[in-house]
Amino acid sequence: MTTRRDFIKTTLTTMAAAASPLALAKPETFRQPFQVPRLNAGQRQGRDVYFDLTVQSGTSRILPNKNTHTWGINQNFLGTTLKAKKGDRVHIKVKNTLTDATTLHWHGMKLPARMDGGPHQPIPSGKNWLSEYEIIQPASTLWYHSHQMHETGPQVYQGLAGLFILEDKHVQSLPLPSEYGVDDIPVILQDRDFNHDGSFRYISSMHDRMAGKQGSVMLVNGVYKPLLKAHKSLIRLRILNGSNARIYHLKFNDQRDFSVIASDGGLLRQPIQTNMVRIAPAERVEIVVDVSDGTMPMLVNHPPEMTSGMGMMRRMMGNREQAQALFQIDARKVRPTTTTIPKTLANIPVPNLSQVSATRTMELEMQMGPQMMRGGGMTINGKSMDIQRIDTVVQANSSEVWRIKNTSMLAHPFHIHNVQFQVLERSKTPLQPHEHGFKDTVLVYPNETVTLYIQFPKFRDAKVPYMYHCHILEHEDAGMMGQFTVV
Ligand code: C2O
Ligand code: CU
Ligand code: CU
């Protein structure tokens, strides 16, 4: 007989207790029910949609026999999934019931700077913030999370993150799996460590600070090793890497192929067949997988290969890892779906390089030495984030080419607010399938330069800046972030 005690094992040597995080045994079976975050479509009055969000703290049962203190939005851990469509005017009231100040940032959204929810829009404890804007971009899987200055890492780790799904008429006309929670499944990937009292264990070593916090317990929508009961034979997974620092290389355990259909900014031109997808922090990728064979495939995360800079660095720092199954799909009772994935998905224009008005280089660096020990030394073009300083000024409605150059020893996922860019070139590594679509975050390997084509939307504000930064949240908090205004 298996008991809960077999499911979870604590390393209880007195010596190790203080120093080591709680270690979970590896259960071979997936027994927790798969959690789908509640859908929140707001209150609609024509094109106006009203959302009421409460940032709250609470207790969650993540481990079988311990409570974890967590934060969430309209629930105790993580946020409900917001949904709106192109052309809507959203009015989002955010109430902060925490004792700390926080913000909510709409990651991937094109919107006026003061509505962005970045470090310039903090919500003090007990206060409300109203964010109102029109949805001007195509159907896509965006997300929202805390962006509190110097506190983004701990606040997202505590749970302040959720999905924001955008729809439009075009995507609704395509025969893609689109029934939320039935054949259109949100998959928020996060990794956590736990203390012996069940609380989340955040930064506890120099390695955590340098490489970013990576936990050893993999959660899917806040659940450890869940089992997803499939109802249809074709399943769409909207995968968000909501981890602070971990890069995932995802495969099914039986190596089956799947179709990549969308990136951060929406649908690709056409589905791309593959059996592996890499997803860095803050990236989203939508895949469609056929489970009509009625088996029980597992989605598995593989550590980066020995050959990549990240893999080498991790091993140098003594972080040895094995492949880990994240969740399992039970497809034994699927009903055949009649839908097939369309051959063409979206019309993505080819970048017009003759119209580029500026070319800029953003150099990502990690200064070794004393600053690093204090949690600083993370810079872009030699400067750490200063909320008083505007680093870059761009023109509204213009197109620019940005060269993101990584001269550090670690890979960095570079993110730009208010835009969906296109990847023109990677200097060292091949483009991932989802890098053929619109992106707001792109992974840059050590000694690599990734060239981006960016069209800035119409919004202008000479005073309030947007951010660009590394989306390893500990790097962002330590200063690998800059500010730009659009005029
Ligand atoms: Cu996902 Cu500046 O954030
Ligand atoms: Cu963002
Ligand atoms: Cu970084």
Side-chain angles (χ1 to χ4, degrees), residues 366 378 411-413 470-472 475-476 480:
M366 294 169 74
M378 310 266 183
H412 303 281
C470 174
H471 222 290
I472 290 178
H475 293 178
E476 173 193 329
M480 198 181 280

mmCIF file of all heavy atoms in Angstrom, residues 366 378 411-413 470-472 475-476 480, ligand 3:
data_model
loop_
_atom_site.group_PDB
_atom_site.id
_atom_site.type_symbol
_atom_site.label_atom_id
_atom_site.label_comp_id
_atom_site.label_asym_id
_atom_site.label_seq_id
_atom_site.Cartn_x
_atom_site.Cartn_y
_atom_site.Cartn_z
ATOM 1 N N MET A 366 27.580 40.394 -17.017
ATOM 2 C CA MET A 366 27.576 40.086 -15.579
ATOM 3 C C MET A 366 28.980 40.363 -15.080
ATOM 4 O O MET A 366 29.907 39.650 -15.419
ATOM 5 C CB MET A 366 27.233 38.603 -15.355
ATOM 6 C CG MET A 366 25.814 38.252 -15.777
ATOM 7 S SD MET A 366 25.524 36.470 -15.799
ATOM 8 C CE MET A 366 25.430 36.134 -14.036
ATOM 9 N N MET A 378 24.840 43.220 -12.601
ATOM 10 C CA MET A 378 24.165 42.760 -13.809
ATOM 11 C C MET A 378 23.818 44.000 -14.618
ATOM 12 O O MET A 378 23.088 44.874 -14.130
ATOM 13 C CB MET A 378 22.870 42.024 -13.452
ATOM 14 C CG MET A 378 23.039 40.955 -12.397
ATOM 15 S SD MET A 378 23.310 39.372 -13.169
ATOM 16 C CE MET A 378 23.370 38.323 -11.723
ATOM 17 N N ALA A 411 23.216 32.148 -20.325
ATOM 18 C CA ALA A 411 22.204 32.523 -21.303
ATOM 19 C C ALA A 411 21.189 33.457 -20.639
ATOM 20 O O ALA A 411 20.864 33.282 -19.464
ATOM 21 C CB ALA A 411 21.502 31.272 -21.829
ATOM 22 N N HIS A 412 20.717 34.455 -21.381
ATOM 23 C CA HIS A 412 19.731 35.395 -20.849
ATOM 24 C C HIS A 412 18.523 35.502 -21.777
ATOM 25 O O HIS A 412 18.689 35.758 -22.968
ATOM 26 C CB HIS A 412 20.338 36.795 -20.695
ATOM 27 C CG HIS A 412 21.552 36.838 -19.828
ATOM 28 N ND1 HIS A 412 21.477 36.825 -18.453
ATOM 29 C CD2 HIS A 412 22.867 36.864 -20.138
ATOM 30 C CE1 HIS A 412 22.713 36.860 -17.960
ATOM 31 N NE2 HIS A 412 23.579 36.871 -18.960
ATOM 32 N N PRO A 413 17.310 35.345 -21.254
ATOM 33 C CA PRO A 413 16.107 35.611 -22.052
ATOM 34 C C PRO A 413 15.800 37.112 -22.032
ATOM 35 O O PRO A 413 15.446 37.658 -20.995
ATOM 36 C CB PRO A 413 15.021 34.803 -21.334
ATOM 37 C CG PRO A 413 15.511 34.610 -19.935
ATOM 38 C CD PRO A 413 17.006 34.795 -19.925
ATOM 39 N N CYS A 470 16.490 41.346 -18.827
ATOM 40 C CA CYS A 470 16.619 39.899 -18.781
ATOM 41 C C CYS A 470 15.446 39.374 -17.967
ATOM 42 O O CYS A 470 15.128 39.901 -16.904
ATOM 43 C CB CYS A 470 17.930 39.504 -18.116
ATOM 44 S SG CYS A 470 18.022 37.708 -17.904
ATOM 45 N N HIS A 471 14.813 38.296 -18.454
ATOM 46 C CA HIS A 471 13.665 37.741 -17.731
ATOM 47 C C HIS A 471 14.047 36.621 -16.768
ATOM 48 O O HIS A 471 13.174 35.923 -16.238
ATOM 49 C CB HIS A 471 12.558 37.299 -18.685
ATOM 50 C CG HIS A 471 11.178 37.679 -18.193
ATOM 51 N ND1 HIS A 471 10.599 37.067 -17.104
ATOM 52 C CD2 HIS A 471 10.302 38.620 -18.615
ATOM 53 C CE1 HIS A 471 9.396 37.607 -16.905
ATOM 54 N NE2 HIS A 471 9.197 38.558 -17.800
ATOM 55 N N ILE A 472 15.356 36.428 -16.529
ATOM 56 C CA ILE A 472 15.737 35.688 -15.324
ATOM 57 C C ILE A 472 15.513 36.703 -14.213
ATOM 58 O O ILE A 472 16.171 37.752 -14.160
ATOM 59 C CB ILE A 472 17.207 35.199 -15.384
ATOM 60 C CG1 ILE A 472 17.317 34.091 -16.450
ATOM 61 C CG2 ILE A 472 17.668 34.704 -14.005
ATOM 62 C CD1 ILE A 472 18.709 33.547 -16.643
ATOM 63 N N HIS A 475 18.202 38.291 -12.234
ATOM 64 C CA HIS A 475 19.053 39.199 -13.016
ATOM 65 C C HIS A 475 18.361 40.549 -13.184
ATOM 66 O O HIS A 475 18.980 41.601 -13.073
ATOM 67 C CB HIS A 475 19.368 38.595 -14.384
ATOM 68 C CG HIS A 475 20.230 37.379 -14.328
ATOM 69 N ND1 HIS A 475 20.606 36.664 -15.435
ATOM 70 C CD2 HIS A 475 20.811 36.756 -13.260
ATOM 71 C CE1 HIS A 475 21.368 35.648 -15.073
ATOM 72 N NE2 HIS A 475 21.503 35.668 -13.756
ATOM 73 N N GLU A 476 17.061 40.494 -13.463
ATOM 74 C CA GLU A 476 16.287 41.737 -13.570
ATOM 75 C C GLU A 476 16.383 42.521 -12.256
ATOM 76 O O GLU A 476 16.705 43.709 -12.252
ATOM 77 C CB GLU A 476 14.824 41.392 -13.889
ATOM 78 C CG GLU A 476 13.894 42.594 -13.845
ATOM 79 C CD GLU A 476 12.418 42.201 -13.851
ATOM 80 O OE1 GLU A 476 12.067 41.156 -14.440
ATOM 81 O OE2 GLU A 476 11.619 42.955 -13.279
ATOM 82 N N MET A 480 19.823 44.027 -14.455
ATOM 83 C CA MET A 480 19.931 43.816 -15.901
ATOM 84 C C MET A 480 18.622 44.257 -16.572
ATOM 85 O O MET A 480 17.860 43.456 -17.094
ATOM 86 C CB MET A 480 20.256 42.351 -16.230
ATOM 87 C CG MET A 480 20.805 42.185 -17.646
ATOM 88 S SD MET A 480 21.180 40.488 -18.065
ATOM 89 C CE MET A 480 22.772 40.256 -17.275
HETATM 90 CU CU CU B 3 19.948 37.103 -17.287
#
